[in-house]
Amino acid sequence: SYELTQPPSVSVSPGQTARITCSGDALPKVYSYWYQQKPGQAPVLVMYKDSERPSGIPDRFSGSSSGTTVTLTISGVQAEDEADYYCQSTDSSITYLYVFGTGTKVTVL
Amino acid sequence: QITLKESGPTLVKPTQTLTLTCTFSGFSLSTSGVGVGWIRQPPGKALEWLALIYWDDDERYSPSLKSRLTITKDTSKNQVVLTMTNMDPVDTGTYYCVQNSAEVYYDGMGVWGQGTTVTVSS
């Protein structure tokens, strides 16, 4: 089955830059998506089609793609950005399916 | 404003069938490019996509759970129902209903319900 791999945790000081990676073999061929989930809350879409931000998402969030790795970057991290982040993509190799990454806990020091 | 709300039992016994209902508003599941699906999250673990049904009745399922899942829609009631058979304690978790609109977010899940917690225990 298709898998998306993320680092379990990323720690960053306020005002610094956090980079969260997501790796998967199909990522050069399909779009990636990112979700932020705070404790006790439903996830929120923060990036779609690799690098597009939904309305209402601060511009300190950005996305990029390079080969089999996509990256969510949070510039000027704020305390409120502490959360779990999940990447998501699709597996179109056989049938059209959705896949989530393993998740990354971002801790603001 | 688009909203989705999950409903169903909070406790099911092992081997029983779980039936969850997603009631939504603010959009129509007969609109081209729109889908409604289900995602679950065991306590302390990652998100897992389960199933999605599209405006044209196309159904997609997680390969690992396909034999246990059925997703249906009632466009007139603005509802999507997920059934999962042969429940096991490992199926315990929060189940989310989501909307996918290809025209807006392509394959992204743009709107989520608040989630409903399901515990599988005898």
Side-chain angles (χ1 to χ4, degrees), chain A residues 31 33 35 37 41-43 45 48-49 54-55 86 88 90 95-103, chain B residues 39 41 45-49 52 54 60-61 63 96 100 104-110 112-114:
Chain A
Y31 286 120
Y33 304 80
Y35 302 86
Q37 186 181 32
Q41 298 182 19
L45 181 70
Y48 66 101
K49 291 173 69 175
S55 61
Y86 294 92
Q88 176 239 309
T90 54
T95 55
Y96 208 77
L97 304 173
Y98 298 86
V99 181
F100 283 95
T102 50
Chain B
I39 291 160
Q41 185 174 36
K45 295 189 177 182
L47 301 170
E48 180 183 17
W49 174 73
L52 194 142
Y54 296 94
R60 303 287 174 170
Y61 296 98
Y96 295 101
N100 166 246
V104 182
Y105 297 125
Y106 204 63
D107 290 325
M109 310 302 164
W112 294 62
Q114 63 188 24

mmCIF file of all heavy atoms in Angstrom, chain A residues 31 33 35 37 41-43 45 48-49 54-55 86 88 90 95-103, chain B residues 39 41 45-49 52 54 60-61 63 96 100 104-110 112-114:
data_model
loop_
_atom_site.group_PDB
_atom_site.id
_atom_site.type_symbol
_atom_site.label_atom_id
_atom_site.label_comp_id
_atom_site.label_asym_id
_atom_site.label_seq_id
_atom_site.Cartn_x
_atom_site.Cartn_y
_atom_site.Cartn_z
ATOM 1 N N TYR A 31 -0.733 15.886 -6.363
ATOM 2 C CA TYR A 31 -0.675 17.027 -5.454
ATOM 3 C C TYR A 31 -0.628 16.570 -4.000
ATOM 4 O O TYR A 31 -1.070 15.478 -3.651
ATOM 5 C CB TYR A 31 -1.900 17.919 -5.635
ATOM 6 C CG TYR A 31 -1.892 18.749 -6.893
ATOM 7 C CD1 TYR A 31 -2.898 18.616 -7.837
ATOM 8 C CD2 TYR A 31 -0.890 19.690 -7.124
ATOM 9 C CE1 TYR A 31 -2.907 19.386 -8.985
ATOM 10 C CE2 TYR A 31 -0.888 20.460 -8.269
ATOM 11 C CZ TYR A 31 -1.898 20.311 -9.195
ATOM 12 O OH TYR A 31 -1.907 21.075 -10.326
ATOM 13 N N TYR A 33 -1.423 17.853 0.186
ATOM 14 C CA TYR A 33 -2.295 18.684 0.998
ATOM 15 C C TYR A 33 -1.797 18.602 2.438
ATOM 16 O O TYR A 33 -1.228 17.586 2.846
ATOM 17 C CB TYR A 33 -3.751 18.193 0.902
ATOM 18 C CG TYR A 33 -4.218 18.141 -0.534
ATOM 19 C CD1 TYR A 33 -3.878 17.070 -1.349
ATOM 20 C CD2 TYR A 33 -4.945 19.190 -1.085
ATOM 21 C CE1 TYR A 33 -4.247 17.034 -2.683
ATOM 22 C CE2 TYR A 33 -5.324 19.163 -2.416
ATOM 23 C CZ TYR A 33 -4.966 18.096 -3.201
ATOM 24 O OH TYR A 33 -5.331 18.063 -4.527
ATOM 25 N N TYR A 35 -2.777 19.449 6.689
ATOM 26 C CA TYR A 35 -3.790 19.731 7.693
ATOM 27 C C TYR A 35 -3.120 20.030 9.032
ATOM 28 O O TYR A 35 -2.125 19.404 9.386
ATOM 29 C CB TYR A 35 -4.741 18.544 7.856
ATOM 30 C CG TYR A 35 -5.436 18.172 6.575
ATOM 31 C CD1 TYR A 35 -4.824 17.312 5.671
ATOM 32 C CD2 TYR A 35 -6.674 18.694 6.245
ATOM 33 C CE1 TYR A 35 -5.428 16.978 4.472
ATOM 34 C CE2 TYR A 35 -7.299 18.368 5.049
ATOM 35 C CZ TYR A 35 -6.669 17.513 4.177
ATOM 36 O OH TYR A 35 -7.282 17.188 2.990
ATOM 37 N N GLN A 37 -3.928 20.079 13.112
ATOM 38 C CA GLN A 37 -4.875 19.583 14.103
ATOM 39 C C GLN A 37 -4.389 19.942 15.498
ATOM 40 O O GLN A 37 -3.341 19.479 15.938
ATOM 41 C CB GLN A 37 -5.067 18.071 13.997
ATOM 42 C CG GLN A 37 -6.162 17.550 14.923
ATOM 43 C CD GLN A 37 -6.349 16.049 14.832
ATOM 44 O OE1 GLN A 37 -5.418 15.291 14.581
ATOM 45 N NE2 GLN A 37 -7.586 15.590 15.037
ATOM 46 N N GLN A 41 -9.501 19.015 18.598
ATOM 47 C CA GLN A 41 -10.195 19.666 17.494
ATOM 48 C C GLN A 41 -10.085 18.847 16.210
ATOM 49 O O GLN A 41 -9.195 17.999 16.070
ATOM 50 C CB GLN A 41 -9.618 21.066 17.242
ATOM 51 C CG GLN A 41 -9.776 22.010 18.411
ATOM 52 C CD GLN A 41 -9.240 23.403 18.098
ATOM 53 O OE1 GLN A 41 -9.068 23.775 16.927
ATOM 54 N NE2 GLN A 41 -8.979 24.182 19.127
ATOM 55 N N ALA A 42 -10.995 19.113 15.290
ATOM 56 C CA ALA A 42 -10.912 18.503 13.970
ATOM 57 C C ALA A 42 -9.779 19.146 13.171
ATOM 58 O O ALA A 42 -9.420 20.310 13.402
ATOM 59 C CB ALA A 42 -12.237 18.683 13.230
ATOM 60 N N PRO A 43 -9.188 18.400 12.256
ATOM 61 C CA PRO A 43 -8.147 18.975 11.405
ATOM 62 C C PRO A 43 -8.683 20.126 10.557
ATOM 63 O O PRO A 43 -9.879 20.192 10.262
ATOM 64 C CB PRO A 43 -7.724 17.790 10.532
ATOM 65 C CG PRO A 43 -8.077 16.581 11.326
ATOM 66 C CD PRO A 43 -9.351 16.957 12.036
ATOM 67 N N LEU A 45 -7.641 22.254 6.901
ATOM 68 C CA LEU A 45 -6.803 22.305 5.707
ATOM 69 C C LEU A 45 -6.015 23.607 5.705
ATOM 70 O O LEU A 45 -6.596 24.688 5.745
ATOM 71 C CB LEU A 45 -7.682 22.217 4.456
ATOM 72 C CG LEU A 45 -6.986 22.236 3.100
ATOM 73 C CD1 LEU A 45 -6.203 20.940 2.872
ATOM 74 C CD2 LEU A 45 -8.008 22.425 1.978
ATOM 75 N N TYR A 48 -3.198 23.382 -0.026
ATOM 76 C CA TYR A 48 -3.711 22.450 -1.002
ATOM 77 C C TYR A 48 -2.971 22.607 -2.321
ATOM 78 O O TYR A 48 -2.357 23.651 -2.568
ATOM 79 C CB TYR A 48 -5.225 22.600 -1.193
ATOM 80 C CG TYR A 48 -5.693 23.900 -1.807
ATOM 81 C CD1 TYR A 48 -6.049 23.974 -3.146
ATOM 82 C CD2 TYR A 48 -5.795 25.062 -1.044
ATOM 83 C CE1 TYR A 48 -6.494 25.147 -3.712
ATOM 84 C CE2 TYR A 48 -6.231 26.242 -1.597
ATOM 85 C CZ TYR A 48 -6.590 26.289 -2.934
ATOM 86 O OH TYR A 48 -7.023 27.463 -3.497
ATOM 87 N N LYS A 49 -3.019 21.588 -3.110
ATOM 88 C CA LYS A 49 -2.303 21.562 -4.403
ATOM 89 C C LYS A 49 -0.873 22.037 -4.222
ATOM 90 O O LYS A 49 -0.407 22.936 -4.933
ATOM 91 C CB LYS A 49 -3.058 22.379 -5.448
ATOM 92 C CG LYS A 49 -4.371 21.722 -5.858
ATOM 93 C CD LYS A 49 -5.192 22.608 -6.772
ATOM 94 C CE LYS A 49 -4.571 22.763 -8.136
ATOM 95 N NZ LYS A 49 -5.444 23.541 -9.052
ATOM 96 N N PRO A 54 -5.648 28.046 1.582
ATOM 97 C CA PRO A 54 -7.081 28.382 1.670
ATOM 98 C C PRO A 54 -7.236 29.773 2.285
ATOM 99 O O PRO A 54 -6.361 30.247 3.013
ATOM 100 C CB PRO A 54 -7.638 27.310 2.607
ATOM 101 C CG PRO A 54 -6.640 26.193 2.559
ATOM 102 C CD PRO A 54 -5.319 26.852 2.341
ATOM 103 N N SER A 55 -8.360 30.396 2.005
ATOM 104 C CA SER A 55 -8.606 31.706 2.591
ATOM 105 C C SER A 55 -8.653 31.592 4.107
ATOM 106 O O SER A 55 -9.163 30.615 4.656
ATOM 107 C CB SER A 55 -9.919 32.290 2.075
ATOM 108 O OG SER A 55 -10.998 31.444 2.426
ATOM 109 N N TYR A 86 -0.540 16.950 9.326
ATOM 110 C CA TYR A 86 -0.625 15.751 8.496
ATOM 111 C C TYR A 86 -0.584 16.136 7.021
ATOM 112 O O TYR A 86 -1.296 17.055 6.598
ATOM 113 C CB TYR A 86 -1.928 14.991 8.767
ATOM 114 C CG TYR A 86 -2.029 14.410 10.153
ATOM 115 C CD1 TYR A 86 -2.617 15.130 11.183
ATOM 116 C CD2 TYR A 86 -1.536 13.142 10.430
ATOM 117 C CE1 TYR A 86 -2.716 14.596 12.461
ATOM 118 C CE2 TYR A 86 -1.623 12.597 11.701
ATOM 119 C CZ TYR A 86 -2.214 13.339 12.706
ATOM 120 O OH TYR A 86 -2.307 12.814 13.978
ATOM 121 N N GLN A 88 -1.304 14.810 3.085
ATOM 122 C CA GLN A 88 -2.268 13.923 2.436
ATOM 123 C C GLN A 88 -2.037 13.988 0.931
ATOM 124 O O GLN A 88 -1.673 15.027 0.387
ATOM 125 C CB GLN A 88 -3.695 14.341 2.752
ATOM 126 C CG GLN A 88 -4.780 13.536 2.039
ATOM 127 C CD GLN A 88 -5.672 14.400 1.184
ATOM 128 O OE1 GLN A 88 -6.204 15.415 1.637
ATOM 129 N NE2 GLN A 88 -5.892 14.006 -0.067
ATOM 130 N N THR A 90 -2.858 11.414 -2.912
ATOM 131 C CA THR A 90 -3.685 10.380 -3.520
ATOM 132 C C THR A 90 -2.803 9.307 -4.125
ATOM 133 O O THR A 90 -1.650 9.556 -4.476
ATOM 134 C CB THR A 90 -4.587 10.970 -4.617
ATOM 135 O OG1 THR A 90 -3.778 11.683 -5.553
ATOM 136 C CG2 THR A 90 -5.627 11.895 -4.032
ATOM 137 N N THR A 95 -6.407 2.545 -8.190
ATOM 138 C CA THR A 95 -7.673 3.257 -8.190
ATOM 139 C C THR A 95 -7.482 4.547 -7.400
ATOM 140 O O THR A 95 -6.499 4.690 -6.684
ATOM 141 C CB THR A 95 -8.792 2.447 -7.528
ATOM 142 O OG1 THR A 95 -8.370 2.082 -6.210
ATOM 143 C CG2 THR A 95 -9.098 1.212 -8.333
ATOM 144 N N TYR A 96 -8.372 5.427 -7.533
ATOM 145 C CA TYR A 96 -8.220 6.746 -6.933
ATOM 146 C C TYR A 96 -8.499 6.660 -5.453
ATOM 147 O O TYR A 96 -9.624 6.497 -5.027
ATOM 148 C CB TYR A 96 -9.176 7.714 -7.611
ATOM 149 C CG TYR A 96 -8.684 9.117 -7.594
ATOM 150 C CD1 TYR A 96 -7.702 9.531 -8.465
ATOM 151 C CD2 TYR A 96 -9.191 10.025 -6.683
ATOM 152 C CE1 TYR A 96 -7.238 10.827 -8.453
ATOM 153 C CE2 TYR A 96 -8.737 11.324 -6.670
ATOM 154 C CZ TYR A 96 -7.767 11.723 -7.560
ATOM 155 O OH TYR A 96 -7.316 12.997 -7.538
ATOM 156 N N LEU A 97 -7.445 6.759 -4.635
ATOM 157 C CA LEU A 97 -7.564 6.624 -3.196
ATOM 158 C C LEU A 97 -6.847 7.768 -2.505
ATOM 159 O O LEU A 97 -5.963 8.391 -3.068
ATOM 160 C CB LEU A 97 -6.943 5.302 -2.744
ATOM 161 C CG LEU A 97 -7.493 4.039 -3.399
ATOM 162 C CD1 LEU A 97 -6.673 2.834 -2.989
ATOM 163 C CD2 LEU A 97 -8.950 3.848 -3.052
ATOM 164 N N TYR A 98 -7.251 8.011 -1.270
ATOM 165 C CA TYR A 98 -6.656 9.076 -0.484
ATOM 166 C C TYR A 98 -5.773 8.467 0.600
ATOM 167 O O TYR A 98 -6.109 7.446 1.186
ATOM 168 C CB TYR A 98 -7.756 9.927 0.158
ATOM 169 C CG TYR A 98 -8.652 10.602 -0.852
ATOM 170 C CD1 TYR A 98 -9.759 9.940 -1.377
ATOM 171 C CD2 TYR A 98 -8.384 11.894 -1.301
ATOM 172 C CE1 TYR A 98 -10.568 10.546 -2.321
ATOM 173 C CE2 TYR A 98 -9.189 12.505 -2.244
ATOM 174 C CZ TYR A 98 -10.281 11.830 -2.746
ATOM 175 O OH TYR A 98 -11.078 12.430 -3.678
ATOM 176 N N VAL A 99 -4.650 9.124 0.855
ATOM 177 C CA VAL A 99 -3.693 8.622 1.832
ATOM 178 C C VAL A 99 -3.234 9.771 2.724
ATOM 179 O O VAL A 99 -2.968 10.877 2.228
ATOM 180 C CB VAL A 99 -2.462 8.012 1.139
ATOM 181 C CG1 VAL A 99 -1.477 7.465 2.171
ATOM 182 C CG2 VAL A 99 -2.874 6.907 0.175
ATOM 183 N N PHE A 100 -3.116 9.493 4.025
ATOM 184 C CA PHE A 100 -2.586 10.471 4.967
ATOM 185 C C PHE A 100 -1.183 10.072 5.401
ATOM 186 O O PHE A 100 -0.843 8.888 5.456
ATOM 187 C CB PHE A 100 -3.475 10.577 6.208
ATOM 188 C CG PHE A 100 -4.718 11.369 5.985
ATOM 189 C CD1 PHE A 100 -5.900 10.738 5.646
ATOM 190 C CD2 PHE A 100 -4.707 12.758 6.097
ATOM 191 C CE1 PHE A 100 -7.057 11.475 5.428
ATOM 192 C CE2 PHE A 100 -5.852 13.497 5.882
ATOM 193 C CZ PHE A 100 -7.033 12.858 5.543
ATOM 194 N N GLY A 101 -0.404 11.080 5.736
ATOM 195 C CA GLY A 101 0.914 10.836 6.279
ATOM 196 C C GLY A 101 0.856 10.416 7.734
ATOM 197 O O GLY A 101 -0.208 10.386 8.350
ATOM 198 N N THR A 102 2.014 10.120 8.282
ATOM 199 C CA THR A 102 2.119 9.604 9.647
ATOM 200 C C THR A 102 1.975 10.678 10.717
ATOM 201 O O THR A 102 1.798 10.359 11.889
ATOM 202 C CB THR A 102 3.460 8.890 9.828
ATOM 203 O OG1 THR A 102 4.523 9.756 9.366
ATOM 204 C CG2 THR A 102 3.495 7.607 8.989
ATOM 205 N N GLY A 103 2.043 11.933 10.328
ATOM 206 C CA GLY A 103 1.828 13.022 11.264
ATOM 207 C C GLY A 103 3.098 13.529 11.921
ATOM 208 O O GLY A 103 4.023 12.759 12.205
ATOM 209 N N ILE B 39 -13.194 9.830 7.609
ATOM 210 C CA ILE B 39 -11.812 9.677 8.056
ATOM 211 C C ILE B 39 -11.856 9.374 9.549
ATOM 212 O O ILE B 39 -12.670 9.963 10.259
ATOM 213 C CB ILE B 39 -11.022 10.973 7.772
ATOM 214 C CG1 ILE B 39 -10.836 11.171 6.265
ATOM 215 C CG2 ILE B 39 -9.659 10.951 8.476
ATOM 216 C CD1 ILE B 39 -10.505 12.583 5.848
ATOM 217 N N GLN B 41 -9.633 8.443 13.389
ATOM 218 C CA GLN B 41 -8.387 8.675 14.103
ATOM 219 C C GLN B 41 -8.428 7.935 15.434
ATOM 220 O O GLN B 41 -9.141 8.361 16.357
ATOM 221 C CB GLN B 41 -8.184 10.181 14.330
ATOM 222 C CG GLN B 41 -6.854 10.534 14.963
ATOM 223 C CD GLN B 41 -6.649 12.031 15.019
ATOM 224 O OE1 GLN B 41 -7.576 12.809 15.234
ATOM 225 N NE2 GLN B 41 -5.417 12.454 14.780
ATOM 226 N N LYS B 45 -3.305 8.581 17.615
ATOM 227 C CA LYS B 45 -2.703 8.093 16.379
ATOM 228 C C LYS B 45 -3.059 8.977 15.188
ATOM 229 O O LYS B 45 -3.747 9.982 15.322
ATOM 230 C CB LYS B 45 -3.126 6.648 16.128
ATOM 231 C CG LYS B 45 -2.609 5.684 17.188
ATOM 232 C CD LYS B 45 -2.857 4.248 16.800
ATOM 233 C CE LYS B 45 -2.260 3.299 17.834
ATOM 234 N NZ LYS B 45 -2.438 1.865 17.456
ATOM 235 N N ALA B 46 -2.579 8.562 14.020
ATOM 236 C CA ALA B 46 -2.722 9.370 12.817
ATOM 237 C C ALA B 46 -4.106 9.232 12.195
ATOM 238 O O ALA B 46 -4.870 8.315 12.498
ATOM 239 C CB ALA B 46 -1.654 8.975 11.806
ATOM 240 N N LEU B 47 -4.387 10.149 11.291
ATOM 241 C CA LEU B 47 -5.620 10.102 10.516
ATOM 242 C C LEU B 47 -5.578 8.939 9.538
ATOM 243 O O LEU B 47 -4.521 8.601 9.002
ATOM 244 C CB LEU B 47 -5.797 11.413 9.745
ATOM 245 C CG LEU B 47 -5.859 12.702 10.565
ATOM 246 C CD1 LEU B 47 -5.775 13.915 9.651
ATOM 247 C CD2 LEU B 47 -7.135 12.745 11.403
ATOM 248 N N GLU B 48 -6.733 8.350 9.294
ATOM 249 C CA GLU B 48 -6.856 7.251 8.345
ATOM 250 C C GLU B 48 -8.094 7.474 7.478
ATOM 251 O O GLU B 48 -9.213 7.549 7.988
ATOM 252 C CB GLU B 48 -6.961 5.901 9.056
ATOM 253 C CG GLU B 48 -7.093 4.717 8.113
ATOM 254 C CD GLU B 48 -7.275 3.391 8.837
ATOM 255 O OE1 GLU B 48 -7.615 3.378 10.037
ATOM 256 O OE2 GLU B 48 -7.064 2.338 8.178
ATOM 257 N N TRP B 49 -7.879 7.574 6.164
ATOM 258 C CA TRP B 49 -8.994 7.746 5.259
ATOM 259 C C TRP B 49 -9.749 6.421 5.112
ATOM 260 O O TRP B 49 -9.135 5.369 4.952
ATOM 261 C CB TRP B 49 -8.496 8.213 3.895
ATOM 262 C CG TRP B 49 -9.580 8.279 2.874
ATOM 263 C CD1 TRP B 49 -10.585 9.208 2.797
ATOM 264 C CD2 TRP B 49 -9.800 7.372 1.804
ATOM 265 N NE1 TRP B 49 -11.405 8.924 1.730
ATOM 266 C CE2 TRP B 49 -10.946 7.806 1.109
ATOM 267 C CE3 TRP B 49 -9.143 6.217 1.372
ATOM 268 C CZ2 TRP B 49 -11.439 7.144 0.003
ATOM 269 C CZ3 TRP B 49 -9.636 5.550 0.256
ATOM 270 C CH2 TRP B 49 -10.776 6.011 -0.409
ATOM 271 N N LEU B 52 -15.164 7.437 0.506
ATOM 272 C CA LEU B 52 -15.710 8.674 -0.025
ATOM 273 C C LEU B 52 -16.683 8.347 -1.134
ATOM 274 O O LEU B 52 -16.449 7.417 -1.914
ATOM 275 C CB LEU B 52 -14.579 9.580 -0.528
ATOM 276 C CG LEU B 52 -14.955 11.039 -0.803
ATOM 277 C CD1 LEU B 52 -13.824 11.955 -0.372
ATOM 278 C CD2 LEU B 52 -15.305 11.255 -2.254
ATOM 279 N N TYR B 54 -18.944 10.166 -4.292
ATOM 280 C CA TYR B 54 -18.983 11.355 -5.127
ATOM 281 C C TYR B 54 -20.404 11.653 -5.603
ATOM 282 O O TYR B 54 -21.302 10.822 -5.501
ATOM 283 C CB TYR B 54 -18.074 11.161 -6.339
ATOM 284 C CG TYR B 54 -16.613 11.014 -5.995
ATOM 285 C CD1 TYR B 54 -16.043 9.755 -5.819
ATOM 286 C CD2 TYR B 54 -15.787 12.127 -5.847
ATOM 287 C CE1 TYR B 54 -14.710 9.610 -5.501
ATOM 288 C CE2 TYR B 54 -14.438 11.984 -5.542
ATOM 289 C CZ TYR B 54 -13.909 10.720 -5.377
ATOM 290 O OH TYR B 54 -12.587 10.579 -5.058
ATOM 291 N N ARG B 60 -15.426 5.126 -3.289
ATOM 292 C CA ARG B 60 -14.028 4.747 -3.112
ATOM 293 C C ARG B 60 -13.822 4.301 -1.673
ATOM 294 O O ARG B 60 -14.347 4.920 -0.765
ATOM 295 C CB ARG B 60 -13.107 5.916 -3.431
ATOM 296 C CG ARG B 60 -13.291 6.464 -4.830
ATOM 297 C CD ARG B 60 -12.727 5.539 -5.863
ATOM 298 N NE ARG B 60 -13.021 5.979 -7.223
ATOM 299 C CZ ARG B 60 -12.487 5.471 -8.319
ATOM 300 N NH1 ARG B 60 -11.598 4.487 -8.214
ATOM 301 N NH2 ARG B 60 -12.821 5.924 -9.501
ATOM 302 N N TYR B 61 -13.007 3.255 -1.506
ATOM 303 C CA TYR B 61 -12.781 2.690 -0.181
ATOM 304 C C TYR B 61 -11.309 2.458 0.085
ATOM 305 O O TYR B 61 -10.531 2.166 -0.838
ATOM 306 C CB TYR B 61 -13.512 1.350 -0.036
ATOM 307 C CG TYR B 61 -15.011 1.440 -0.121
ATOM 308 C CD1 TYR B 61 -15.676 1.154 -1.314
ATOM 309 C CD2 TYR B 61 -15.758 1.806 0.994
ATOM 310 C CE1 TYR B 61 -17.051 1.241 -1.391
ATOM 311 C CE2 TYR B 61 -17.143 1.887 0.919
ATOM 312 C CZ TYR B 61 -17.778 1.604 -0.281
ATOM 313 O OH TYR B 61 -19.161 1.683 -0.344
ATOM 314 N N PRO B 63 -8.338 0.321 0.745
ATOM 315 C CA PRO B 63 -8.152 -1.092 0.388
ATOM 316 C C PRO B 63 -8.132 -2.014 1.599
ATOM 317 O O PRO B 63 -8.651 -3.136 1.531
ATOM 318 C CB PRO B 63 -6.790 -1.093 -0.322
ATOM 319 C CG PRO B 63 -6.613 0.293 -0.818
ATOM 320 C CD PRO B 63 -7.282 1.166 0.189
ATOM 321 N N TYR B 96 -14.566 11.202 11.547
ATOM 322 C CA TYR B 96 -14.875 12.510 10.971
ATOM 323 C C TYR B 96 -15.556 12.362 9.610
ATOM 324 O O TYR B 96 -15.159 11.525 8.792
ATOM 325 C CB TYR B 96 -13.600 13.324 10.753
ATOM 326 C CG TYR B 96 -12.862 13.711 12.000
ATOM 327 C CD1 TYR B 96 -11.732 13.007 12.411
ATOM 328 C CD2 TYR B 96 -13.254 14.815 12.752
ATOM 329 C CE1 TYR B 96 -11.025 13.376 13.549
ATOM 330 C CE2 TYR B 96 -12.552 15.196 13.890
ATOM 331 C CZ TYR B 96 -11.446 14.468 14.285
ATOM 332 O OH TYR B 96 -10.753 14.845 15.405
ATOM 333 N N ASN B 100 -15.298 17.035 0.130
ATOM 334 C CA ASN B 100 -14.283 17.268 -0.888
ATOM 335 C C ASN B 100 -14.950 17.940 -2.071
ATOM 336 O O ASN B 100 -15.911 17.413 -2.614
ATOM 337 C CB ASN B 100 -13.643 15.932 -1.290
ATOM 338 C CG ASN B 100 -12.842 16.032 -2.568
ATOM 339 O OD1 ASN B 100 -13.189 15.445 -3.588
ATOM 340 N ND2 ASN B 100 -11.763 16.782 -2.526
ATOM 341 N N VAL B 104 -12.890 23.482 -5.706
ATOM 342 C CA VAL B 104 -12.317 24.425 -4.737
ATOM 343 C C VAL B 104 -10.923 23.979 -4.298
ATOM 344 O O VAL B 104 -9.958 24.715 -4.436
ATOM 345 C CB VAL B 104 -13.233 24.571 -3.515
ATOM 346 C CG1 VAL B 104 -12.653 25.579 -2.538
ATOM 347 C CG2 VAL B 104 -14.633 24.986 -3.945
ATOM 348 N N TYR B 105 -10.841 22.761 -3.771
ATOM 349 C CA TYR B 105 -9.584 22.298 -3.199
ATOM 350 C C TYR B 105 -9.044 21.040 -3.872
ATOM 351 O O TYR B 105 -8.189 20.363 -3.320
ATOM 352 C CB TYR B 105 -9.739 22.059 -1.698
ATOM 353 C CG TYR B 105 -10.073 23.298 -0.908
ATOM 354 C CD1 TYR B 105 -11.187 23.338 -0.089
ATOM 355 C CD2 TYR B 105 -9.280 24.435 -0.999
ATOM 356 C CE1 TYR B 105 -11.500 24.476 0.628
ATOM 357 C CE2 TYR B 105 -9.579 25.575 -0.286
ATOM 358 C CZ TYR B 105 -10.697 25.592 0.524
ATOM 359 O OH TYR B 105 -10.993 26.726 1.233
ATOM 360 N N TYR B 106 -9.570 20.702 -5.023
ATOM 361 C CA TYR B 106 -9.120 19.541 -5.793
ATOM 362 C C TYR B 106 -9.296 18.272 -4.965
ATOM 363 O O TYR B 106 -10.409 17.837 -4.748
ATOM 364 C CB TYR B 106 -7.695 19.755 -6.269
ATOM 365 C CG TYR B 106 -7.356 18.945 -7.495
ATOM 366 C CD1 TYR B 106 -8.019 19.152 -8.692
ATOM 367 C CD2 TYR B 106 -6.369 17.974 -7.469
ATOM 368 C CE1 TYR B 106 -7.713 18.407 -9.814
ATOM 369 C CE2 TYR B 106 -6.056 17.235 -8.592
ATOM 370 C CZ TYR B 106 -6.722 17.448 -9.756
ATOM 371 O OH TYR B 106 -6.416 16.705 -10.868
ATOM 372 N N ASP B 107 -8.239 17.674 -4.484
ATOM 373 C CA ASP B 107 -8.358 16.447 -3.693
ATOM 374 C C ASP B 107 -8.225 16.692 -2.188
ATOM 375 O O ASP B 107 -8.083 15.751 -1.415
ATOM 376 C CB ASP B 107 -7.295 15.428 -4.107
ATOM 377 C CG ASP B 107 -7.547 14.846 -5.473
ATOM 378 O OD1 ASP B 107 -8.722 14.662 -5.821
ATOM 379 O OD2 ASP B 107 -6.570 14.594 -6.204
ATOM 380 N N GLY B 108 -8.297 17.933 -1.791
ATOM 381 C CA GLY B 108 -8.190 18.248 -0.371
ATOM 382 C C GLY B 108 -9.537 18.187 0.325
ATOM 383 O O GLY B 108 -10.576 18.413 -0.287
ATOM 384 N N MET B 109 -9.507 17.877 1.618
ATOM 385 C CA MET B 109 -10.721 17.826 2.424
ATOM 386 C C MET B 109 -10.910 19.202 3.049
ATOM 387 O O MET B 109 -10.316 19.514 4.067
ATOM 388 C CB MET B 109 -10.614 16.739 3.496
ATOM 389 C CG MET B 109 -10.180 15.384 2.954
ATOM 390 S SD MET B 109 -11.290 14.766 1.691
ATOM 391 C CE MET B 109 -10.254 13.479 0.951
ATOM 392 N N GLY B 110 -11.719 20.024 2.394
ATOM 393 C CA GLY B 110 -11.812 21.419 2.775
ATOM 394 C C GLY B 110 -12.632 21.686 4.021
ATOM 395 O O GLY B 110 -12.371 22.661 4.730
ATOM 396 N N TRP B 112 -14.503 19.865 7.518
ATOM 397 C CA TRP B 112 -14.590 18.705 8.404
ATOM 398 C C TRP B 112 -15.726 18.893 9.398
ATOM 399 O O TRP B 112 -16.014 19.997 9.835
ATOM 400 C CB TRP B 112 -13.290 18.539 9.186
ATOM 401 C CG TRP B 112 -12.106 18.202 8.348
ATOM 402 C CD1 TRP B 112 -11.562 18.967 7.343
ATOM 403 C CD2 TRP B 112 -11.291 17.041 8.452
ATOM 404 N NE1 TRP B 112 -10.470 18.328 6.812
ATOM 405 C CE2 TRP B 112 -10.275 17.149 7.476
ATOM 406 C CE3 TRP B 112 -11.312 15.906 9.264
ATOM 407 C CZ2 TRP B 112 -9.288 16.159 7.284
ATOM 408 C CZ3 TRP B 112 -10.332 14.931 9.099
ATOM 409 C CH2 TRP B 112 -9.343 15.063 8.115
ATOM 410 N N GLY B 113 -16.340 17.784 9.747
ATOM 411 C CA GLY B 113 -17.262 17.801 10.868
ATOM 412 C C GLY B 113 -16.485 17.826 12.168
ATOM 413 O O GLY B 113 -15.250 17.728 12.177
ATOM 414 N N GLN B 114 -17.188 17.946 13.273
ATOM 415 C CA GLN B 114 -16.541 18.009 14.579
ATOM 416 C C GLN B 114 -16.022 16.649 15.030
ATOM 417 O O GLN B 114 -15.186 16.565 15.922
ATOM 418 C CB GLN B 114 -17.522 18.537 15.621
ATOM 419 C CG GLN B 114 -18.752 17.637 15.831
ATOM 420 C CD GLN B 114 -19.807 18.260 16.727
ATOM 421 O OE1 GLN B 114 -19.878 19.478 16.853
ATOM 422 N NE2 GLN B 114 -20.636 17.428 17.329
#
